[in-house]
Amino acid sequence: MDPTTDNAGNTGDPGTARASLEALRAEIAKAVVGQDPAVTGLVVALLCRGHVLLEGVPGVAKTLLVRALASALELDTKRVQFTPDLMPSDVTGSLVYDTRTAEFSFQPGPVFTNLLLADEINRTPPKTQSSLLEAMEERQVTVDGTPRPLPEPFLVAATQNPVEYEGTYPLPEAQLDRFLLKLTIPLPSRQDEIDVLTRHAEGFNPRDLRAAGVRPVAGPADLEAARAAVAKTTVSPEITGYVVDICRATRESPSLTLGVSPRGATALLATARAWAWLTGRDYVIPDDVKALALPTLRHRVQLRPEAEMEGVTADSVINAILAHVPVPR
């Protein structure tokens, strides 16, 4: 197949695709200060055709990060503010009666986009949360018995606030498992916060990314080429066994009531392959698995209440497991 060319002028060659995706960091940094791990996680999710849950306190640029990514990748993006009165049809779309033709026609909802920003997803009831399950898993929406495919690429980036529990509906384990990665967005360091304030003092407008200089540096052709290259990244039997041993250890941990499922193990292998390719290798090493273990697994485990009361966290349990599971040589 001949390389395709997107509107950003990228040919989709694997070598240039990696360089273009690496350039995302610099481009997004024009709008967002000091969130390189989150940017990398979003790129990994795109390469794996997965979805991302962004967790952080209000005001740490979760929404701005997703908007900047969409601008730098030249992808169509839509935002849905999840509220207690949001209906499933407000997300997926619905049938509308046309008086001129006396027929019902389908009016697509905001889910028909490349990058859907589901803002504060835990503020809407489970019925509306579940309206995204089919879209995330099957990449289609079924209305009135008719399946309608979603655009490609398609990624859901959902945000939630970890400190505000009033009026929220925690995501059930089945839906959490649909997210490839859970990325925590920390508060900025002192210097990063000074940089943020300096930008605003100089006239930076977070609602106008074009004025901030954010330009498309990659496109769908690059993503297609990169995904094909990731699929060829070699995984040795020893690495496969290492991933399985880590996930099985979570099921035996005395601090957890729920360990990582086989789907989680598959996700960890996929994200490790994407990270290996992004770092310039065509084979996976144990460090790739370790680098992606926390964001890939932290939302797939459930702490025992007594462990939670003692201050144990999902991250600390996974880190302890990584320290004890034998690393293949």
Side-chain angles (χ1 to χ4, degrees):
M1 183 175 66
D2 294 331
T4 55
T5 303
D6 56 36
N7 293 332
N10 301 300
T11 63
D13 174 73
T16 58
R18 183 188 284 115
S20 297
L21 292 176
E22 288 174 351
L24 280 174
R25 286 193 184 94
E27 204 64 24
I28 294 174
K30 296 177 181 178
V32 181
V33 176
Q35 296 292 359
D36 276 356
V39 174
T40 300
L42 286 165
V43 174
V44 166
L46 281 166
L47 292 178
C48 298
R49 302 180 84 243
H51 309 285
V52 176
L53 183 63
L54 299 168
E55 186 175 85
V57 299
V60 290
K62 299 186 295 292
T63 303
L64 180 61
L65 176 63
V66 175
R67 288 180 50 239
L69 175 71
S71 296
L73 274 174
E74 201 176 38
L75 297 177
D76 180 48
T77 181
K78 289 186 174 68
R79 175 181 178 272
V80 179
Q81 179 65 52
F82 279 70
T83 56
D85 60 348
L86 194 74
M87 299 295 291
S89 59
D90 296 329
V91 179
T92 61
S94 58
L95 294 175
V96 178
Y97 184 73
D98 190 338
T99 55
R100 293 173 299 177
T101 61
E103 293 179 349
F104 285 94
S105 61
F106 178 66
Q107 183 67 35
V111 74
F112 286 85
T113 186
N114 296 127
L115 206 165
L116 177 68
L117 175 58
D119 230 345
E120 296 186 302
I121 191 172
N122 57 335
R123 286 205 169 278
T124 199
K127 181 179 180 180
T128 304
Q129 289 178 9
S130 64
S131 67
L132 277 176
L133 287 179
E134 182 188 14
M136 294 169 67
E137 190 70 18
E138 306 295 335
R139 297 179 185 274
Q140 67 178 24
V141 168
T142 301
V143 177
D144 196 33
T146 303
R148 293 173 169 84
L150 295 171
E152 181 63 37
F154 173 69
L155 179 143
V156 174
T159 71
Q160 68 174 9
N161 181 349
V163 296
E164 219 173 289
Y165 296 108
E166 187 175 344
T168 62
Y169 304 83
L171 298 178
E173 281 70 29
Q175 183 157 356
L176 282 171
D177 204 37
R178 296 303 199 281
F179 286 99
L180 180 71
L181 299 172
K182 179 182 178 182
L183 305 175
T184 56
I185 311 297
L187 288 166
S189 66
R190 182 177 185 275
Q191 186 55 52
D192 284 344
E193 197 163 1
I194 289 174
D195 291 344
V196 170
L197 267 62
T198 301
R199 290 187 182 190
H200 280 264
E202 292 172 350
F204 171 70
N205 182 0
R207 295 171 184 81
D208 189 356
L209 295 178
R210 287 287 179 182
V214 179
R215 297 289 183 270
V217 294
D222 288 311
L223 284 176
E224 184 180 345
R227 287 171 175 173
V230 169
K232 296 176 183 176
T233 302
T234 304
V235 181
S236 68
E238 292 77 15
I239 292 295
T240 304
Y242 183 49
V243 170
V244 169
D245 289 344
I246 291 171
C247 295
R248 291 181 69 86
T250 65
R251 301 168 203 162
E252 299 166 0
S253 171
S255 298
L256 301 176
T257 59
L258 178 69
V260 177
S261 68
R263 180 191 299 175
T266 303
L268 180 55
L269 185 62
T271 56
R273 290 178 85 182
W275 175 244
W277 181 82
L278 276 174
T279 53
R281 279 179 282 101
D282 60 357
Y283 57 92
V284 180
I285 62 175
D287 283 349
D288 299 324
V289 178
K290 290 181 177 180
L292 272 299
L294 284 180
T296 308
L297 303 182
R298 59 165 57 110
H299 56 296
R300 303 175 193 271
V301 299
Q302 190 172 14
L303 290 167
R304 292 189 182 277
E306 55 269 29
E308 202 166 1
M309 290 177 64
E310 292 172 1
V312 176
T313 64
D315 284 14
S316 65
V317 172
I318 294 169
N319 278 326
I321 287 172
L322 290 175
H324 286 92
V325 172
V327 180
R329 299 187 180 276

